[in-house]
Amino acid sequence: MCVNQRHIVFSSELELAMPTTSRNPLVVGRVIGEVIEHFESSIPFRVSYGNREVNNGCELKPSQVVNKPRVSVGGDDLRNFYTLVLVDPDAPSPSNPNFREYLHWLVTDIPATTGASFGNEVVSYESPRPTMGIHRLVFVLFRQQYRQRVYAPGWRQNFNTREFAELYNLGLPVAAVFFNCQRETGSGGRTF
């Protein structure tokens, strides 16, 4: 009986010592919640600017993101197609995001095992140029049920990734990654 009591006490102590917050960087960075719903990543997905790979929460300056990134989509069947969106949920500034979400790029019909350059660019890439605060730039990848015509929104500001996914029956994302960006002379990092 003493062994069981120790075990119970030990378990309780462990539970108290364990953090209760999620360590998922998309949750910590408030991408899940503000931009997309919780999902399980199910496809390999890489984004890089030049030789710099985008990892959740990394910092890139505007001069590093002037040109379209290289996007690689995994998978094993070229008959599967994906849609990619790049949004800024902090536009025009994190303290006043009244253009949330600003659409920087939209590409559809990306075949599995290829990259965004093989897809249909619906909205051309616009490089991020934040003027105030630290902005999160979020790449979200959806699997399409089939090839379909997607229409460009009338404007880039106030795009809504969730509503877009619902409109085109895309379901939950299959992958996502984000980076932080601030004006070229900005310093300091984002804290959560």
PDB file of all heavy atoms in Angstrom, residues 11 13 47 49 71 74 84 103 114 124 157 170:
ATOM      1  N   SER A  11       3.310  10.692  -9.051  1.00  0.00           N
ATOM      2  CA  SER A  11       2.574  11.085 -10.253  1.00  0.00           C
ATOM      3  C   SER A  11       2.042  12.496 -10.121  1.00  0.00           C
ATOM      4  O   SER A  11       2.098  13.279 -11.052  1.00  0.00           O
ATOM      5  CB  SER A  11       1.416  10.118 -10.523  1.00  0.00           C
ATOM      6  OG  SER A  11       1.929   8.854 -10.845  1.00  0.00           O
ATOM      7  N   GLU A  13       3.254  14.896  -8.279  1.00  0.00           N
ATOM      8  CA  GLU A  13       4.374  15.823  -8.368  1.00  0.00           C
ATOM      9  C   GLU A  13       4.801  16.012  -9.823  1.00  0.00           C
ATOM     10  O   GLU A  13       5.099  17.127 -10.240  1.00  0.00           O
ATOM     11  CB  GLU A  13       5.543  15.311  -7.532  1.00  0.00           C
ATOM     12  CG  GLU A  13       5.299  15.414  -6.037  1.00  0.00           C
ATOM     13  CD  GLU A  13       6.360  14.706  -5.219  1.00  0.00           C
ATOM     14  OE1 GLU A  13       7.264  14.082  -5.805  1.00  0.00           O
ATOM     15  OE2 GLU A  13       6.280  14.772  -3.986  1.00  0.00           O
ATOM     16  N   VAL A  47       9.772  25.611 -47.010  1.00  0.00           N
ATOM     17  CA  VAL A  47       9.781  26.939 -47.619  1.00  0.00           C
ATOM     18  C   VAL A  47      11.162  27.521 -47.361  1.00  0.00           C
ATOM     19  O   VAL A  47      11.656  27.471 -46.232  1.00  0.00           O
ATOM     20  CB  VAL A  47       8.699  27.848 -47.002  1.00  0.00           C
ATOM     21  CG1 VAL A  47       8.770  29.246 -47.600  1.00  0.00           C
ATOM     22  CG2 VAL A  47       7.312  27.247 -47.152  1.00  0.00           C
ATOM     23  N   TYR A  49      13.905  30.913 -48.557  1.00  0.00           N
ATOM     24  CA  TYR A  49      14.282  32.127 -49.286  1.00  0.00           C
ATOM     25  C   TYR A  49      15.783  32.035 -49.501  1.00  0.00           C
ATOM     26  O   TYR A  49      16.545  32.113 -48.538  1.00  0.00           O
ATOM     27  CB  TYR A  49      13.935  33.372 -48.484  1.00  0.00           C
ATOM     28  CG  TYR A  49      12.470  33.703 -48.443  1.00  0.00           C
ATOM     29  CD1 TYR A  49      11.659  33.266 -47.397  1.00  0.00           C
ATOM     30  CD2 TYR A  49      11.884  34.475 -49.442  1.00  0.00           C
ATOM     31  CE1 TYR A  49      10.309  33.589 -47.358  1.00  0.00           C
ATOM     32  CE2 TYR A  49      10.534  34.802 -49.408  1.00  0.00           C
ATOM     33  CZ  TYR A  49       9.758  34.350 -48.363  1.00  0.00           C
ATOM     34  OH  TYR A  49       8.426  34.671 -48.329  1.00  0.00           O
ATOM     35  N   VAL A  71       9.183  26.715 -52.599  1.00  0.00           N
ATOM     36  CA  VAL A  71       8.256  25.926 -51.782  1.00  0.00           C
ATOM     37  C   VAL A  71       8.263  24.502 -52.305  1.00  0.00           C
ATOM     38  O   VAL A  71       8.040  24.281 -53.498  1.00  0.00           O
ATOM     39  CB  VAL A  71       6.824  26.507 -51.843  1.00  0.00           C
ATOM     40  CG1 VAL A  71       5.854  25.627 -51.081  1.00  0.00           C
ATOM     41  CG2 VAL A  71       6.803  27.931 -51.304  1.00  0.00           C
ATOM     42  N   GLY A  74       5.654  17.743 -50.338  1.00  0.00           N
ATOM     43  CA  GLY A  74       5.940  16.312 -50.377  1.00  0.00           C
ATOM     44  C   GLY A  74       4.785  15.518 -50.948  1.00  0.00           C
ATOM     45  O   GLY A  74       3.968  16.034 -51.699  1.00  0.00           O
ATOM     46  N   LEU A  84      -1.723  26.785 -51.689  1.00  0.00           N
ATOM     47  CA  LEU A  84      -0.837  27.495 -50.762  1.00  0.00           C
ATOM     48  C   LEU A  84      -1.310  28.931 -50.602  1.00  0.00           C
ATOM     49  O   LEU A  84      -1.583  29.605 -51.596  1.00  0.00           O
ATOM     50  CB  LEU A  84       0.593  27.486 -51.321  1.00  0.00           C
ATOM     51  CG  LEU A  84       1.624  28.340 -50.585  1.00  0.00           C
ATOM     52  CD1 LEU A  84       1.971  27.714 -49.240  1.00  0.00           C
ATOM     53  CD2 LEU A  84       2.876  28.505 -51.443  1.00  0.00           C
ATOM     54  N   LEU A 103      -3.283  39.240 -47.722  1.00  0.00           N
ATOM     55  CA  LEU A 103      -2.890  38.137 -48.600  1.00  0.00           C
ATOM     56  C   LEU A 103      -1.662  38.522 -49.420  1.00  0.00           C
ATOM     57  O   LEU A 103      -1.723  39.431 -50.240  1.00  0.00           O
ATOM     58  CB  LEU A 103      -4.052  37.770 -49.530  1.00  0.00           C
ATOM     59  CG  LEU A 103      -3.806  36.639 -50.524  1.00  0.00           C
ATOM     60  CD1 LEU A 103      -3.537  35.321 -49.797  1.00  0.00           C
ATOM     61  CD2 LEU A 103      -5.008  36.502 -51.459  1.00  0.00           C
ATOM     62  N   THR A 114       6.156  18.221 -55.909  1.00  0.00           N
ATOM     63  CA  THR A 114       6.739  19.337 -56.663  1.00  0.00           C
ATOM     64  C   THR A 114       6.786  20.574 -55.772  1.00  0.00           C
ATOM     65  O   THR A 114       6.909  20.470 -54.566  1.00  0.00           O
ATOM     66  CB  THR A 114       5.928  19.631 -57.949  1.00  0.00           C
ATOM     67  OG1 THR A 114       4.654  20.161 -57.610  1.00  0.00           O
ATOM     68  CG2 THR A 114       5.767  18.391 -58.811  1.00  0.00           C
ATOM     69  N   SER A 124      -0.415  37.016 -57.328  1.00  0.00           N
ATOM     70  CA  SER A 124       1.043  37.081 -57.427  1.00  0.00           C
ATOM     71  C   SER A 124       1.684  37.392 -56.078  1.00  0.00           C
ATOM     72  O   SER A 124       1.078  38.027 -55.212  1.00  0.00           O
ATOM     73  CB  SER A 124       1.461  38.118 -58.462  1.00  0.00           C
ATOM     74  OG  SER A 124       1.033  39.399 -58.051  1.00  0.00           O
ATOM     75  N   GLN A 157      -6.262  42.934 -48.626  1.00  0.00           N
ATOM     76  CA  GLN A 157      -6.523  43.115 -47.199  1.00  0.00           C
ATOM     77  C   GLN A 157      -7.826  42.421 -46.798  1.00  0.00           C
ATOM     78  O   GLN A 157      -8.719  42.248 -47.610  1.00  0.00           O
ATOM     79  CB  GLN A 157      -6.525  44.587 -46.791  1.00  0.00           C
ATOM     80  CG  GLN A 157      -7.645  45.418 -47.364  1.00  0.00           C
ATOM     81  CD  GLN A 157      -7.284  46.045 -48.695  1.00  0.00           C
ATOM     82  OE1 GLN A 157      -6.331  45.654 -49.341  1.00  0.00           O
ATOM     83  NE2 GLN A 157      -8.068  47.008 -49.109  1.00  0.00           N
ATOM     84  N   LEU A 170     -11.727  22.979 -48.792  1.00  0.00           N
ATOM     85  CA  LEU A 170     -10.352  22.515 -48.607  1.00  0.00           C
ATOM     86  C   LEU A 170     -10.135  21.783 -47.290  1.00  0.00           C
ATOM     87  O   LEU A 170      -9.125  21.107 -47.119  1.00  0.00           O
ATOM     88  CB  LEU A 170      -9.378  23.694 -48.712  1.00  0.00           C
ATOM     89  CG  LEU A 170      -9.341  24.393 -50.072  1.00  0.00           C
ATOM     90  CD1 LEU A 170      -8.493  25.648 -50.002  1.00  0.00           C
ATOM     91  CD2 LEU A 170      -8.837  23.452 -51.148  1.00  0.00           C
TER      92      LEU A 170
END
